Amino acid sequence: MAGEFDFINWIRAQSLKSDNLLVPPGDDLAVVKWKFDDLLLVGVDQVLDGVHFDSSIHTPRQIGKKVMNRNLSDCAAMACLPAYALATVALPRGRNIDYAKELYLGLREAGDAFDCPVIGGDTGSWDGKLVVTVTILGRSAGVKPITRAGAKVGDGIYVSGPLGGSILGRHLIFEPRVVLAREISARVSAMIDLSDGLSRDLLHICRESGVGAIIYADAIPVHEDAMALSQQDQRPPILHALHDGEDYELLYTASPTDNLPGTRIGTINAASEGILLQSEWHREPLDPLGWEHPL
Amino acid sequence: MAGEFDFINWIRAQSLKSDNLLVPPGDDLAVVKWKFDDLLLVGVDQVLDGVHFDSSIHTPRQIGKKVMNRNLSDCAAMACLPAYALATVALPRGRNIDYAKELYLGLREAGDAFDCPVIGGDTGSWDGKLVVTVTILGRSAGVKPITRAGAKVGDGIYVSGPLGGSILGRHLIFEPRVVLAREISARVSAMIDLSDGLSRDLLHICRESGVGAIIYADAIPVHEDAMALSQQDQRPPILHALHDGEDYELLYTASPTDNLPGTRIGTINAASEGILLQSEWHREPLDPLGWEHPL
C-alpha cells in the first residue's frame, strides 16, 4: 500500500533546485538562505471542505490551486514577492496517493506562476474531511510592505477589478494581483485583498488606519457574475458587489492626484464620519455584511 | 455572537512586541526583519483529531501545546533555535471562542518556553473535526543545520532518552530537546527527532546518509511506559522501544571517540550490511514497524 513516505519521495522528485534552498523538502525542516536586505513576510491560510470548496464537485487540482492562490493574494495585499510555500494536507481515508498528487500539482501550478516553490509540508490521512493549509513566505524585494494602516483623510479608495458573484466559479480560478501590487506599491497608502467582501475589508482598512470612508455605489465596478447571481436570488447586483467574499481583487487607498490603475470607488474621511455608502438618493452607513467565520 | 475577528483581536492583544517583528499579527502577512547571518529553517506539522489526539479526552490546552512542541522538536532535530510560529485551527462548529483561546494559550505556553511567539494564523469553523497546524521558523544562530544525511561508517548511534509507550500520555507532555541539540550540534554527523519510532526514523537517517546500521537491543533505553504497556498488551517492552512513535527524543550519530550525552545504542555500517538488530542470541534485519500514515 502506498504510504506517506512514498508520497514524500514523489514530492522530492518533483522539487526544483534553488540556489538559496540549502536543504530541500524531506528533512525535518527546509533550510533557506535569506537575503540580507529582504524583509521576510509570512502568513498561513487554510481551506476546508464544505466551507471554501466542495470536494464532491471540485477537483483536487482546483482545490490545491485555490489555496495556493489565496496565499499568493496575501502577498499581493502586502506588495511582496512570493518566495516559498509549505503545505499540509489532512486527507480523508479513501482518497489515495493519486488524489494527494493532484492536490500537490494544483499547488505547484499556482506557485510556479510566481516562482514560488513548495519546500515543505506534512500529509496525513484521517477519518475526517479534506483540509489543505498553505504557509507562504514572501520577500519585500525593494518594496516597503503595504499594510492596512496607512490610509489618510482625503485619499481615494480604489479596487483593481469588478466585484461580486465569485461563488459562481471565479473563487476557484482567480489570478493573484501580485504584479499590479508591485506596480502601484510606491503610490498606495494602505492595501488589502478582497477575501471577506468589500464592506468588511474596507472596515479592516478603516479600523487599522483610524479613518472613515465614503463609497459611491454608482462607482463600484459590478462583475457580470453579480448580475447573473442576482437573476438567481433577486438580490440587487450592487449588494453582491458590496458584500460577497472571495473576489481576490485589491482594495487600496492613495492620494487622488495620482493617476492609479483600477477604479476609484470612494474617499477616505475622518473616523468620526463613519463608513458611508452614497447612493443616488441617499447616504447610509455601510455595514459589513461580508464573510466572517462564526466561532 | 463572537466571531473570527473578535478572536483575532484577542490574539493581537496577547502578542508580545519584538524588535524584529515589524508588522505583528492582524494584517495580511506578518513582517519580520531576518538577520543576515542566520539561515532560515522552516517546516509545518499538523495534528488531527482521532490520530494525534482525542478531543473527547484531551484538553485544548494540551492539544495546542502538543502541536507546538512537535514543531519545536523539529527545530531540535536540525539544531536550530525556534524563532516564530504561525497556527491554523479548523474548529468544529459548537466549539466556542473560549475553546479557541485555550488552544492558543497551549500553543503559546509551549512557544514561550523557547522565546517563539505566534505571529500569524488562520481560524475557521466548520462541520468537521478539529485540526491544528503549526508552521515553525527557526534560525541557525551560529550552528550549521544538522540533517539526516551526514552519518558515516563507524559512527556511534545515540538516543537522548528512554523510548516506548508514549501513548500512555507522554506524547502530550514531552519536552523538545532544543537545548541538548544545540549542545551536541558541533559533534553530531546526522540527527532526527523520534516521531515515527526508532526503527523507522533510523531508516530515514540510513537512507539519507547512504549507510547501514547495527543496533544492540540490550543497549536501548526502555522507558517505564513501555514496561507498563507491555503489561497491558503482552508485547515485549523492547518492541515498544523499537517501534512506538512519538518519543520526541533525539536520534543522532557521531564519531564514537566523542563522549556525547545520551545512550549509545549502535554503530553505523556500510549500506551493504543493511539495518540490523543484534540481540543476545541472534542478529536479524530491523524492519521499520513505526508509524506511517497510509494514504
Side-chain angles (χ1 to χ4, degrees), chain A residues 32 40 89 125 127 129 135 294, chain B residues 32 40 46 125 127 129 135 294:
Chain A
V32 168
L40 167 66
V89 179
S125 67
D127 291 322
K129 295 191 288 183
T135 301
Chain B
V32 168
L40 167 65
Q46 66 187 348
S125 68
D127 292 321
K129 294 191 288 182
T135 301

Side-chain angles (χ1 to χ4, degrees), chain A residues 9-249:
Chain A
N9 286 335
W10 179 83
I11 285 184
R12 293 172 69 172
Q14 305 296 310
S15 298
L16 300 171
K17 299 283 176 228
S18 157
D19 287 348
N20 293 318
L21 183 62
L22 306 184
V23 176
D27 218 297
D28 291 284
L29 301 173
V31 182
V32 168
K33 184 159 168 44
W34 199 261
K35 286 183 192 146
F36 174 59
D37 51 357
D38 265 4
L39 295 175
L40 167 66
L41 292 91
V42 60
V44 61
D45 193 71
Q46 67 187 348
V47 293
L48 308 172
D49 196 0
V51 179
H52 304 95
F53 63 89
D54 180 345
S55 67
S56 69
I57 297 172
H58 304 130
T59 68
R61 188 79 71 116
Q62 286 177 312
I63 296 164
K65 207 170 162 183
K66 174 171 181 175
V67 61
M68 178 66 86
N69 275 333
R70 278 169 64 98
N71 280 273
L72 295 168
S73 186
D74 282 327
C75 288
M78 305 292 288
C80 69
L81 287 182
Y84 301 104
L86 299 92
T88 62
V89 179
L91 198 69
R93 266 185 244 291
R95 299 288 192 189
N96 60 20
I97 196 169
D98 290 329
Y99 192 91
K101 286 179 182 175
E102 282 294 309
L103 277 170
Y104 172 82
L105 289 172
L107 292 166
R108 208 184 68 173
E109 188 179 327
D112 280 354
F114 295 93
D115 293 325
C116 182
V118 178
I119 63 167
D122 181 23
T123 302
S125 67
W126 72 324
D127 291 322
K129 295 191 288 183
L130 181 63
V131 181
V132 189
T133 305
V134 166
T135 301
I136 197 88
L137 304 185
R139 58 196 189 90
S140 53
V143 168
K144 187 173 184 296
I146 311 296
T147 70
R148 303 172 178 180
K152 292 175 210 53
V153 174
D155 278 355
I157 303 171
Y158 302 80
V159 292
S160 60
L163 308 181
S166 75
I167 192 70
L168 294 184
R170 220 164 72 246
H171 70 105
L172 280 169
I173 53 164
F174 60 93
E175 188 191 327
R177 301 296 184 207
V178 173
V179 174
L180 175 68
R182 301 284 293 181
E183 181 189 333
I184 63 179
S185 60
R187 292 179 283 165
V188 301
S189 51
M191 189 153 61
I192 192 170
D193 67 322
L194 287 166
S195 54
D196 296 331
L198 173 58
S199 59
R200 188 168 291 278
D201 287 319
L202 176 64
L203 178 62
H204 290 317
I205 284 186
C206 288
R207 278 189 183 159
E208 295 301 315
S209 298
V211 297
I214 184 163
I215 298 293
Y216 307 106
D218 289 350
I220 298 173
V222 178
H223 198 281
E224 60 187 18
D225 287 341
M227 320 272 193
L229 198 52
S230 174
Q231 294 284 320
Q232 293 177 26
D233 66 7
Q234 315 306 320
R235 213 168 157 236
I238 183 71
L239 294 185
H240 286 295
L242 279 168
H243 304 301
D244 286 359
E246 306 213 77
D247 289 306
Y248 302 109
E249 296 291 349

Side-chain angles (χ1 to χ4, degrees), chain B residues 2-294:
Chain B
E4 183 186 0
F5 301 114
D6 302 284
F7 183 58
I8 291 171
N9 286 335
W10 179 83
I11 286 184
R12 292 173 70 173
Q14 306 295 312
S15 297
L16 300 172
K17 299 282 176 230
S18 156
D19 286 348
N20 293 318
L21 183 61
L22 306 183
V23 176
D27 218 297
D28 290 284
L29 301 173
V31 182
V32 168
K33 184 159 169 43
W34 199 260
K35 288 183 190 148
F36 174 59
D37 51 356
D38 264 6
L39 295 175
L40 167 65
L41 292 91
V42 60
V44 61
D45 192 71
Q46 66 187 348
V47 294
L48 308 171
D49 197 0
V51 179
H52 304 94
F53 63 88
D54 180 344
S55 67
S56 68
I57 297 173
H58 304 130
T59 68
R61 188 79 70 115
Q62 286 177 314
I63 295 163
K65 207 170 163 183
K66 174 171 181 173
V67 61
M68 178 66 86
N69 275 332
R70 277 168 66 98
N71 279 273
L72 295 169
S73 185
D74 282 327
C75 288
M78 304 292 287
C80 69
L81 286 183
Y84 301 104
L86 299 91
T88 62
V89 179
L91 198 68
R93 267 186 242 290
R95 298 289 191 189
N96 60 21
I97 195 169
D98 290 329
Y99 192 90
K101 286 180 182 175
E102 282 293 310
L103 278 170
Y104 171 81
L105 290 173
L107 292 166
R108 208 184 67 175
E109 188 180 325
D112 280 354
F114 294 94
D115 292 326
C116 182
V118 177
I119 63 167
D122 182 22
T123 302
S125 68
W126 73 325
D127 292 321
K129 294 191 288 182
L130 180 63
V131 181
V132 189
T133 304
V134 166
T135 301
I136 196 90
L137 304 184
R139 59 196 190 89
S140 54
V143 168
K144 187 172 184 297
I146 310 296
T147 70
R148 303 172 179 179
K152 291 174 210 55
V153 174
D155 279 354
I157 303 170
Y158 302 80
V159 292
S160 61
L163 308 180
S166 76
I167 192 69
L168 294 184
R170 221 164 73 245
H171 71 105
L172 281 169
I173 53 165
F174 60 93
E175 188 191 329
R177 300 296 183 207
V178 173
V179 175
L180 174 68
R182 300 285 292 180
E183 182 189 332
I184 62 179
S185 59
R187 293 180 283 166
V188 300
S189 51
M191 189 153 62
I192 192 171
D193 68 321
L194 287 166
S195 55
D196 296 330
L198 173 59
S199 59
R200 188 168 291 278
D201 288 319
L202 176 64
L203 178 63
H204 291 317
I205 284 185
C206 288
R207 279 190 182 158
E208 295 302 313
S209 299
V211 297
I214 184 164
I215 298 293
Y216 307 106
D218 291 349
I220 298 173
V222 177
H223 198 281
E224 60 187 17
D225 288 342
M227 319 275 192
L229 199 53
S230 175
Q231 294 283 321
Q232 292 176 27
D233 66 6
Q234 315 306 321
R235 214 168 157 235
I238 184 72
L239 293 185
H240 286 295
L242 278 168
H243 304 301
D244 286 359
E246 304 214 79
D247 290 305
Y248 301 109
E249 295 292 348
L250 293 172
L251 173 68
Y252 43 99
T253 60
S255 164
T257 56
D258 277 325
N259 195 14
L260 276 184
T263 304
R264 182 166 175 195
I265 61 167
T267 300
I268 294 293
N269 281 335
S272 57
E273 305 277 320
I275 303 178
L276 303 170
L277 180 68
Q278 174 72 59
S279 307
E280 194 176 358
W281 301 109
H282 68 298
R283 185 175 281 203
E284 61 186 0
L286 175 58
D287 292 322
L289 300 176
W291 183 255
E292 178 179 17
H293 293 277

